[in-house]
Amino acid sequence: MLGAAWHAEESPWGGRQPDYLTFIDRWDAGWYERIFDGGYPTTIPRNENGTAQPNQWAFYPVFPLLARGLSAITGLGWPAAGAIVATAAGLGAALMIYVLFKNFASPGTALWGVAFFAMFPISPVLQVPYAESLGVFFLAAALHFLIRGNYWASLPMVVLLCLSRPAGVPFAAVVLLHLLLRWQKRQPFPARDVVAGTVLLLASGVMAFAWMLIAWWVTGERTAYTDTETAWRGSELVLFKPWFDAGVDLVGPLWGPVLPVLFVGLAALYLNSRAVRLIGLELRIWCAMYMLYLLAVLHPQSSTFRMLLPLFPLALAAAFISRSRAYRWSVLVMFTLLQVVWVVWLWQFSAISTGQAWPP
């Protein structure tokens, strides 16, 4: 990050060669800073034809609220407070992932899985004022408690997850399938667990749409959240369509529509591979549901790499592929080099033909 900052030109967030905290306070971090300073607007800003403009409602509240709390206690401003919260959450996520992975692997293999997560090519985002590290921490905790059957402990983690990152829909699907599978197994399913699991399922379903409802309540506009989310893409949300459009843009109209289908096929094969089967059914279901969620709602662009971070259970699968230290260290070296590529390629500001820039 410091090396990239040394080569940075002037940008909307600062002048040439900014210091570290200024350099990492870009793109989404700038929106969180607006929330930190002034909260959320009570009306959705729109242009003359009524189209929503980018605004704070696309960004969830837990991360900036924690930064505000740290600031109130220490007197730190946004750049330092945001970076400290993000980095501390990244450490917490790594520790929580280790606990989660030990449900399926020896401590040594679990630690290698954490190493793969921590050195993943986009892992530098865990230190910048984005909500990724916080979301991963709550997700890992919620999955751990769900797998252990501690549904009441999973409940607050799900609530905080759904107010940190948009991951409620795939998680609710995981809870539903977990409960159905447990119900079908010929194992004890005490009434207290049935009640707790049902409450968790209902809460997950409600929280999946909670931020959308809050935006509606505050602004008085039913489509406040969805209009805001689609403001960056410049078109209405049509499920699955952006991936087919991206395929056409990449390889043309003949083979373009085949790319998403090929992606789904390859993902299905990988999720059924020997190494992935070793991570447990719930983690496999989470990865499948999250991939399906991204396929349904995500507009593929440069931020897609960052959106893959919640697929961290596959880091354990990567550790299961081989016990060879040469293999495992080679993966870490490769990831380290790709970190440099990601930071230099996407963290630098460079305008593109549309007048915007590639966001990390």
Side-chain angles (χ1 to χ4, degrees):
M1 285 289 190
L2 286 170
W6 179 258
H7 294 281
E9 299 295 334
E10 186 174 353
S11 75
W13 302 276
R16 295 184 67 252
Q17 297 183 338
D19 60 39
Y20 170 75
L21 290 178
T22 301
F23 185 65
I24 65 174
D25 190 27
R26 294 181 169 204
W27 285 282
D28 288 9
W31 288 105
Y32 285 118
E33 183 175 7
R34 295 188 188 189
I35 300 168
F36 176 90
D37 289 333
Y40 293 87
T42 55
T43 58
I44 301 300
R46 298 180 181 273
N47 61 18
E48 294 179 355
N49 65 8
T51 302
Q53 299 299 292
N55 66 84
Q56 292 92 311
W57 282 107
F59 303 91
Y60 289 56
V62 172
F63 179 74
L65 285 176
L66 287 176
R68 279 287 295 272
L70 179 62
S71 176
I73 295 171
T74 63
L76 294 172
W78 160 255
I84 289 172
V85 170
T87 305
L91 173 60
L95 296 173
M96 193 67 240
I97 288 171
Y98 177 67
V99 174
L100 172 64
F101 283 178
K102 284 202 300 179
N103 289 303
F104 307 100
S106 66
T109 301
L111 189 59
W112 273 104
V114 174
F116 289 168
F117 159 76
M119 298 301 291
F120 193 63
I122 55 89
S123 65
V125 78
L126 299 172
Q127 65 188 285
V128 305
Y130 280 32
E132 263 67 22
S133 55
L134 199 63
V136 169
F137 170 75
F138 292 135
L139 173 60
L143 286 170
H144 171 70
F145 291 128
L146 175 69
I147 289 166
R148 303 286 290 187
N150 192 345
Y151 304 131
W152 292 118
S154 183
L155 182 58
M157 298 297 104
V158 173
V159 172
L160 292 170
L161 168 65
C162 293
L163 293 175
S164 300
R165 293 289 301 159
V169 172
F171 191 87
V174 174
V175 176
L176 175 61
L177 293 173
H178 165 85
L179 294 176
L180 289 175
L181 290 170
R182 185 173 178 185
W183 183 270
Q184 291 177 351
K185 291 179 180 178
R186 297 183 181 278
Q187 296 178 355
F189 197 179
R192 63 178 182 275
D193 284 353
V194 174
V195 171
T198 303
V199 171
L200 177 62
L201 176 61
L202 293 174
S204 299
V206 171
M207 289 306 303
F209 301 97
W211 190 238
M212 186 184 303
L213 297 173
I214 292 171
W216 180 7
W217 177 57
V218 172
T219 65
E221 301 184 45
R222 180 176 57 84
T223 58
Y225 175 74
T226 52
D227 286 354
T228 296
E229 279 286 0
T230 56
W232 276 267
R233 67 181 68 182
S235 61
E236 294 183 355
L237 174 62
V238 180
L239 297 182
F240 302 105
K241 182 176 181 293
W243 288 87
F244 290 94
D245 292 341
V248 171
D249 291 339
L250 286 173
V251 297
L254 179 61
W255 295 104
V258 177
L259 283 184
V261 178
L262 180 62
F263 167 76
V264 171
L266 292 175
L269 287 174
Y270 181 62
L271 290 177
N272 197 43
S273 65
R274 182 195 67 83
V276 178
R277 288 199 302 269
L278 293 175
I279 70 175
L281 190 57
E282 285 85 358
L283 295 188
R284 289 172 64 202
I285 292 173
W286 161 256
C287 291
M289 291 298 102
Y290 185 70
M291 287 181 186
L292 180 62
Y293 174 73
L294 292 183
L295 193 66
V297 303
L298 182 65
H299 178 68
Q301 28 83 22
S302 53
S303 293
T304 303
F305 300 106
R306 173 168 54 88
M307 302 299 179
L308 300 179
L309 198 60
L311 294 173
F312 66 84
L314 297 179
L316 181 60
F320 277 134
I321 289 176
S322 173
R323 297 176 59 88
S324 165
R325 294 181 65 84
Y327 156 75
R328 291 174 172 179
W329 279 106
S330 296
V331 171
L332 291 188
V333 172
M334 177 186 68
F335 279 179
T336 302
L337 295 175
L338 290 176
Q339 282 186 32
V340 177
V341 172
W342 184 76
V343 171
V344 173
W345 175 33
L346 291 180
W347 209 258
Q348 293 282 16
F349 174 78
S350 58
I352 56 178
S353 59
T354 60
Q356 300 179 359
W358 297 115

